[in-house]
Amino acid sequence: MLAGATLLTTAACGSGSAETAAGGKPEVVAAFYPLQWLTEQVGGSDAHVTGLTAPGVEPHDLELSIQQVSELRKAALTVYIKGVQPAVDDAVEAETSFDAATAVTTLPAGGHEQEGEADHGHEVSYDPHIWLDPTRLATVATKLGERLAVADPAHAQAYKDRAAKTAGALGTLDQEFAKGLSTCRTKSLVTAHEAFGYLADRYKLKQIGITLDPETEPSPARISEVAKLARAEGVTTIFTESLVSPKVAEVLANEVGAKTAVLDPLESPPSGDYLSAMRDNLKTLQTALGCTA
Ligand SMILES: [Zn+2]
């Protein structure tokens, strides 16, 4: 058992037990990047936020060390999304956790059958990638402010104020997306990893995903099915992402005569932050979809 624990990933942000006493601030654990960013915005200087998923780790594959599980169990609050990381889903306890998916209206999981899906074993019936819609993330910010206010009543107002400010920044981002994607040559978004359902839902795009699980190799039949759709929709760009091999997207792009471009699902820390990476995504989309606004 111990040997298994040692090969597991290191914690993000140098989380160590020595920091537990830091100023008596509540320990808040965030499961992966967008939630960590959000929790840092809302927690501000009143909370000590650590991330569970180290940069560069595909969060869907996260395994937790025994130490991480124990830190998570001691934390005042763990912020996660059920269905993204089975290891976290198993480790959290109801009273000290906040499942961000419960704060928003979820969309059903992708419509096509996935190979290898059985390996995940913790399938949820909804698509868990809620953070790619800024308005849903704003709702999560507000709820998170309320949860932190309960966990640390002495700073309740400060949490709520920061939550409102964060929700406001996300609202501005939403307006930029709505305007930037209002007039486009095509509204079809072909992605290697089907992570953009909420973004597509919000901005009236049509996501054609090759696979839900970025680790799963799609079948040749699925690739030709997507190629057919992409040609019919006049798609010129196939989107890939930095943590996943671009091979599948390249094979498809070749077949369709399209280019590939990186669209960041923000499952791992970007070079800037959530807001700047989403603005980069917007520019990428505007170019690829031929938007004029
Ligand atoms: Zn994902």
Side-chain angles (χ1 to χ4, degrees), residues 32 58-60 83-84 127-129 131-132 193-196 212-214 241 265 267:
F32 61 102
E58 224 308 316
H60 295 296
V84 175
D127 174 354
H129 301 88
W131 62 90
L132 292 163
H193 170 198
E194 197 172 321
F196 298 92
L212 258 184
D213 175 358
E241 63 184 84
E267 295 189 348

Side-chain angles (χ1 to χ4, degrees), residues 32 60 81-85 100-101 104 106-110 123-132 194-195 198 212 267:
F32 61 102
H60 295 296
I81 295 174
K82 191 172 182 207
V84 175
Q85 299 163 292
V104 299
T106 53
L107 298 171
E123 292 298 312
V124 287
S125 58
Y126 56 86
D127 174 354
H129 301 88
I130 57 173
W131 62 90
L132 292 163
E194 197 172 321
Y198 290 91
L212 258 184
E267 295 189 348

Side-chain angles (χ1 to χ4, degrees), residues 118-199:
D119 298 359
H120 279 266
H122 289 256
E123 292 298 312
V124 287
S125 58
Y126 56 86
D127 174 354
H129 301 88
I130 57 173
W131 62 90
L132 292 163
D133 169 6
T135 64
R136 281 179 169 90
L137 196 60
T139 303
V140 172
T142 305
K143 288 272 160 57
L144 177 59
E146 291 164 9
R147 286 298 300 264
L148 288 170
V150 171
D152 180 18
H155 302 101
Q157 196 54 49
Y159 291 122
K160 288 178 185 172
D161 290 348
R162 281 188 297 259
K165 190 169 166 243
T166 306
L170 291 166
T172 301
L173 180 68
D174 171 60
Q175 286 163 20
E176 291 171 27
F177 265 82
K179 184 165 181 286
L181 298 176
S182 58
T183 315
C184 306
R185 194 181 47 73
T186 175
K187 292 267 181 169
S188 291
L189 181 67
V190 181
T191 61
H193 170 198
E194 197 172 321
F196 298 92
Y198 290 91
L199 189 134

Side-chain angles (χ1 to χ4, degrees), residues 51-283:
L52 279 180
T53 307
V57 172
E58 224 308 316
H60 295 296
D61 298 337
L62 179 72
E63 295 185 63
L64 297 175
S65 67
I66 289 167
Q67 194 201 339
Q68 283 180 305
V69 171
S70 117
E71 278 172 20
L72 184 156
R73 294 243 161 98
K74 277 185 288 186
L77 193 66
T78 297
V79 184
Y80 77 115
I81 295 174
K82 191 172 182 207
V84 175
Q85 299 163 292
V88 178
D89 297 352
D90 279 347
V92 292
E93 281 158 357
E95 323 77 68
T96 54
S97 64
F98 170 49
D99 173 6
T102 62
V104 299
T105 309
T106 53
L107 298 171
H112 58 271
E113 286 300 310
Q114 294 295 314
E115 296 153 79
E117 208 168 42
D119 298 359
H120 279 266
H122 289 256
E123 292 298 312
V124 287
S125 58
Y126 56 86
D127 174 354
H129 301 88
I130 57 173
W131 62 90
L132 292 163
D133 169 6
T135 64
R136 281 179 169 90
L137 196 60
T139 303
V140 172
T142 305
K143 288 272 160 57
L144 177 59
E146 291 164 9
R147 286 298 300 264
L148 288 170
V150 171
D152 180 18
H155 302 101
Q157 196 54 49
Y159 291 122
K160 288 178 185 172
D161 290 348
R162 281 188 297 259
K165 190 169 166 243
T166 306
L170 291 166
T172 301
L173 180 68
D174 171 60
Q175 286 163 20
E176 291 171 27
F177 265 82
K179 184 165 181 286
L181 298 176
S182 58
T183 315
C184 306
R185 194 181 47 73
T186 175
K187 292 267 181 169
S188 291
L189 181 67
V190 181
T191 61
H193 170 198
E194 197 172 321
F196 298 92
Y198 290 91
L199 189 134
D201 177 63
R202 178 67 188 164
Y203 305 111
K204 314 245 180 322
L205 306 175
K206 182 172 149 200
Q207 175 177 241
I208 303 169
I210 308 170
T211 170
L212 258 184
D213 175 358
E215 302 285 283
T216 306
E217 191 88 353
S219 65
R222 178 66 192 158
I223 293 196
S224 42
E225 187 189 347
V226 174
K228 213 170 119 190
L229 285 168
R231 271 190 226 101
E233 304 281 343
V235 163
T236 59
T237 306
I238 309 294
F239 294 108
T240 181
E241 63 184 84
S242 46
L243 284 185
V244 175
S245 155
K247 208 177 124 240
V248 167
E250 280 162 5
V251 167
L252 182 65
N254 249 330
E255 199 165 325
V256 179
K259 295 177 292 194
T260 62
V262 172
L263 197 60
D264 190 351
L266 282 155
E267 295 189 348
S268 193
S271 54
D273 66 3
Y274 174 88
L275 295 171
S276 68
M278 284 296 277
R279 289 188 169 108
D280 289 345
N281 278 344
L282 174 58
K283 280 191 212 124

